Amino acid sequence: MLRRVKEAVKRMPLLAMTGVFVLRVLRGFDTYRRILQACPAQEAGNIYFMDYDGSGDTYLTCGYLAYKGMIGPKDAFVGSGGLSLKIGKLFGFGRFVAVEPKAALNVRVMERFLGKRLELRPLLYESEYLEYSGILRFMSGYRGLDFMSMLKIGMDINCGLDYEEGTWTQPEFPWTPEEVEEIFQVHGLRPGKTALIAPYAGKNDMWGIPAGFYEKLAQQLLMEGFTVCTNSYDPQREPAVPGTAPILIPHRLMRAFCEKAGCFIGLRSGLCDIVSAAKDCKKIILYGEMTIPSASASHQEFFSLDAMGLCGDCLEVAYKSGQKDEIVSQLVSAAKAHADRLCI
């Protein structure tokens, strides 16, 4: 019923425009006003705005800001949803403001309605004030434009960071060996021969890779002497791969945990961005059978960790439903070879 009403309204331009103005623009202005009240001009420096609740987007943009020396105690981070705020709090902002995801998008609509830049500094490349910034979506992958390059373009436009090619130093979060050791002790994990499987991305999505694939992968790893665990924040929404232990590693400890474990196998997600800097860890990144309809490149080409300059030592594999057994063998062989080298 609601869908039919929306379709009917779209055929009535004056009513549709009024609805957008009242339901999106004015609500966006209300959210924007609350953000400014939480970040008084006399107290705050820059107000960075992450309008999408994504762990990888937040990690990469905040990490790059930190690398360029653009985060200080007077700066504020405004995060959409819980995950982006959780990642943002790993960095050195002076204050943090949480807004609901829909409210954050309303701010974007209001910004484009005004046609001028607000006091916020959006961190995503599609979030700047120009009405037609969505055209950047169609440039994804064009002539090798990868996701990190697009983020840098956005931060050039929105944050005043001059675009530059090349790699950059990723952030390191505080941790202690005792914290990581406790996780291994509690779950009975083997240092150097533990595989952390991360089969979920986004909103608990497996992106076309069936649970049976991960189950067979886990079984083969167990037969090779690995201890295997599944990264899961909620056993109900993200059930562990059969035969593995559900485990939730804090983002702050994720890199250190993977370095001690020795192997990470994950569906391409924001978690892979954080893991990408791990050393002495076999990082295996899986790409599901999906596409980006508006992009000029495949999902793997656009989000490749290698292409993005995040790491050059990971194994990136496109899942094919007709090659399940071959891919399992390839991943297990890679994990085993790495573990064997660690034991030499």
Side-chain angles (χ1 to χ4, degrees):
M1 180 63 180
L2 181 58
R3 182 178 298 177
R4 289 199 295 270
V5 171
K6 288 183 177 180
E7 290 299 324
V9 169
K10 287 180 181 179
R11 292 191 288 270
M12 294 181 277
L14 290 179
L15 183 58
M17 287 188 291
T18 302
V20 170
F21 182 76
V22 173
L23 299 177
R24 303 298 301 276
V25 175
L26 291 183
R27 289 182 177 180
F29 176 73
D30 181 62
T31 300
Y32 176 58
R33 183 175 57 184
R34 287 191 287 108
I35 292 172
L36 294 186
Q37 288 174 345
C39 306
Q42 66 272 21
E43 298 179 16
N46 295 317
I47 305 175
Y48 294 107
F49 184 38
M50 174 55 68
D51 56 23
Y52 171 70
D53 188 21
S55 59
D57 298 337
T58 306
Y59 170 78
L60 292 174
T61 51
C62 291
Y64 192 68
L65 283 174
Y67 167 73
K68 301 288 283 187
M70 294 289 288
I71 298 178
K74 290 187 176 181
D75 297 317
F77 176 84
V78 180
S80 166
L83 191 54
S84 65
L85 198 69
K86 185 176 181 180
I87 299 296
K89 286 184 177 180
L90 296 174
F91 296 87
F93 297 98
R95 66 183 65 202
F96 301 89
V97 182
V99 297
E100 293 297 320
K102 184 61 178 290
L105 294 179
N106 286 340
V107 172
R108 285 180 59 181
V109 173
M110 186 270 291
E111 183 180 39
R112 291 176 180 178
F113 174 82
L114 291 178
K116 65 177 183 179
R117 192 178 299 278
L118 303 179
E119 295 298 318
L120 311 179
R121 291 176 178 254
L123 294 176
L124 293 181
Y125 60 89
E126 288 188 87
S127 304
E128 43 85 21
Y129 72 96
L130 294 176
E131 181 181 359
Y132 300 106
S133 66
I135 196 172
L136 292 174
R137 179 185 297 272
F138 296 91
M139 296 178 63
S140 301
Y142 179 70
R143 295 192 176 183
L145 276 175
D146 59 81
F147 184 64
M148 191 65 216
S149 297
M150 297 297 276
L151 285 183
K152 289 180 180 179
I153 290 172
M155 287 189 281
D156 185 327
I157 297 171
N158 299 323
C159 304
L161 286 174
D162 291 337
Y163 179 89
E164 66 176 43
E165 295 285 351
T167 59
W168 51 283
T169 303
Q170 295 189 50
E172 291 192 33
F173 305 125
W175 64 280
T176 65
E178 291 75 19
E179 290 178 294
V180 178
E181 179 62 28
E182 182 180 1
I183 297 174
F184 274 73
Q185 291 292 333
V186 169
H187 295 278
L189 306 178
R190 296 184 60 186
K193 207 165 184 180
T194 288
L196 175 63
I197 298 179
Y200 302 100
K203 303 301 181 182
N204 324 118
D205 199 338
M206 300 183 79
W207 287 358
I209 301 182
F213 168 82
Y214 291 107
E215 183 174 2
K216 184 166 187 177
L217 174 62
Q219 290 174 350
Q220 293 292 322
L221 288 168
L222 289 168
M223 290 175 61
E224 293 293 344
F226 283 82
T227 49
V228 187
C229 46
T230 300
N231 187 70
S232 170
Y233 85 96
D234 185 337
Q236 298 300 318
R237 296 183 181 182
E238 297 183 349
V241 175
T244 75
I247 188 171
L248 180 60
I249 310 299
H251 291 94
R252 178 176 60 85
L253 300 178
M254 182 58 71
R255 186 194 305 181
F257 175 87
C258 289
E259 289 176 343
K260 188 176 182 67
C263 182
F264 170 86
I265 303 174
L267 176 65
R268 182 63 175 98
S269 68
L271 186 62
C272 300
D273 296 317
I274 297 173
V275 173
S276 66
K279 299 178 177 62
D280 293 328
C281 172
K282 188 59 186 180
K283 293 159 286 189
I284 300 173
I285 314 301
L286 294 168
Y287 293 84
E289 295 184 297
M290 64 176 295
T291 60
I292 308 174
S294 57
S296 301
S298 70
H299 187 254
Q300 180 173 350
E301 289 170 329
F302 185 54
F303 288 105
S304 164
L305 297 180
D306 185 19
M308 290 169 59
L310 298 181
C311 69
D313 61 347
C314 60
L315 173 62
E316 300 187 274
V317 178
Y319 174 82
K320 302 293 182 183
S321 56
Q323 302 174 7
K324 179 172 67 174
D325 293 343
E326 293 88 340
I327 295 174
V328 167
S329 296
Q330 178 188 10
L331 304 193
V332 172
S333 295
K336 185 175 182 300
H338 180 76
D340 290 343
R341 284 196 297 272
L342 292 179
C343 295
I344 293 177

